[in-house]
Amino acid sequence: MTSKLIPLATHPIAENWDWISATKKDFKMLGEYARDNHFRISAHPDHFTLLNSPREEVIEASLRDLEYHHNVFETMGLNSSAKLVIHVGGRYGNKTEYMNKFITQYKQLPPYLKVRIIPPKIHLSSPKNEKDFRAHADFIEPTFFIDFLEKAMMANTDFDVMIEAKQKDAALFKLMDHLQTIPWITPISQSAIEITNSYEN
């Protein structure tokens, strides 16, 4: 879901604007529609929302942004299944230090924000061709995805994969058809799988 539903909501110019009261009826309607249609809602705050930034003003702005998104979900009447996907941030010259800073900042979040963040979401795409490597192909190359799963399962945690392919849902369904042929993968739905204990390296 777009982060721009309420323009300038976190900007100082709008600090005295009670946008929640002004939009409560509309957001309630949106939330009811999402629940009635079993939508899995998430939002992706902008790339400047970084809990491990070396700049305190960036962290403060990030916390305001997370509060804004939480308030949107709350006004829609969505429980903690509605998630926020955020960047962990750059290396800033020391990857380990700033990974640890993210963990520290995350632990300091209030519980109602913690439950809105993380499971990890990974963006996955296959290259269009060798020359245009950064462009997305129409579909996901199954062998590449299975190789990715074999490595990712070492993390031993649930995570989401966002497929970036030109054929959108068709790419997902084609990939899922292929995954059903893999003995150690169990399809749960048209868009979810479980890696079983029968997999061996």
Side-chain angles (χ1 to χ4, degrees):
M1 189 172 70
T2 179
S3 297
K4 307 298 185 184
L5 287 173
I6 307 295
L8 301 177
T10 61
H11 194 281
I13 198 173
E15 63 183 359
N16 294 319
W17 176 35
D18 184 7
W19 62 265
I20 294 178
S21 296
T23 60
K24 191 171 185 178
K25 182 178 179 181
D26 292 324
F27 273 126
K28 181 180 178 182
M29 181 179 64
L30 288 173
E32 289 173 350
Y33 186 84
R35 290 192 302 275
D36 290 346
N37 289 277
H38 308 290
F39 288 167
R40 185 180 177 200
I41 300 295
S42 66
H44 185 18
D46 287 328
H47 61 279
F48 56 77
T49 302
L50 298 170
L51 291 177
N52 64 337
S53 171
R55 297 166 53 196
E56 285 302 316
E57 65 270 25
V58 173
I59 293 177
E60 290 174 7
S62 298
L63 293 174
R64 287 195 300 271
D65 201 38
L66 294 178
E67 289 279 355
Y68 155 72
H69 284 84
H70 169 74
N71 287 333
V72 168
F73 288 159
E74 284 289 298
T75 309
M76 290 176 70
L78 301 178
N79 61 24
S80 61
S81 65
K83 298 295 185 182
L84 297 175
V85 182
I86 62 174
H87 291 277
V88 173
R91 298 180 182 182
Y92 304 113
N94 189 325
K95 183 177 181 180
T96 301
E97 178 184 349
Y98 284 95
M99 284 176 61
N100 289 333
K101 183 165 186 176
F102 174 84
I103 293 170
T104 299
Q105 292 291 341
Y106 174 78
K107 288 180 177 178
Q108 293 176 2
L109 291 175
Y112 62 87
L113 287 182
K114 282 184 182 178
V115 298
R116 294 286 187 194
I117 300 174
I118 303 297
K121 180 173 283 189
I122 295 132
H123 291 219
L124 185 82
S125 65
S126 292
K128 187 175 183 180
N129 52 53
E130 290 185 11
K131 183 178 179 181
D132 200 3
F133 187 81
R134 294 182 66 85
H136 300 154
D138 286 346
F139 297 95
I140 299 296
E141 208 285 308
T143 304
F144 167 73
F145 183 64
I146 291 168
D147 182 59
F148 161 75
L149 287 181
E150 290 174 347
K151 293 178 173 63
M153 70 173 297
M154 291 187 292
N156 194 30
T157 188
D158 291 340
F159 59 91
D160 291 339
V161 176
M162 180 177 286
I163 289 178
E164 297 186 298
K166 296 297 183 183
Q167 290 298 316
K168 309 294 183 185
D169 288 355
L172 167 65
F173 297 143
K174 184 175 181 179
L175 178 63
M176 290 296 292
D177 286 343
H178 184 87
L179 295 180
Q180 292 186 49
T181 68
I182 310 300
W184 47 274
I185 293 177
T186 302
I188 299 173
S189 69
Q190 286 186 302
S191 61
I193 61 172
E194 181 178 21
I195 299 176
T196 67
N197 294 329
S198 61
Y199 173 77
E200 294 180 358
N201 288 316

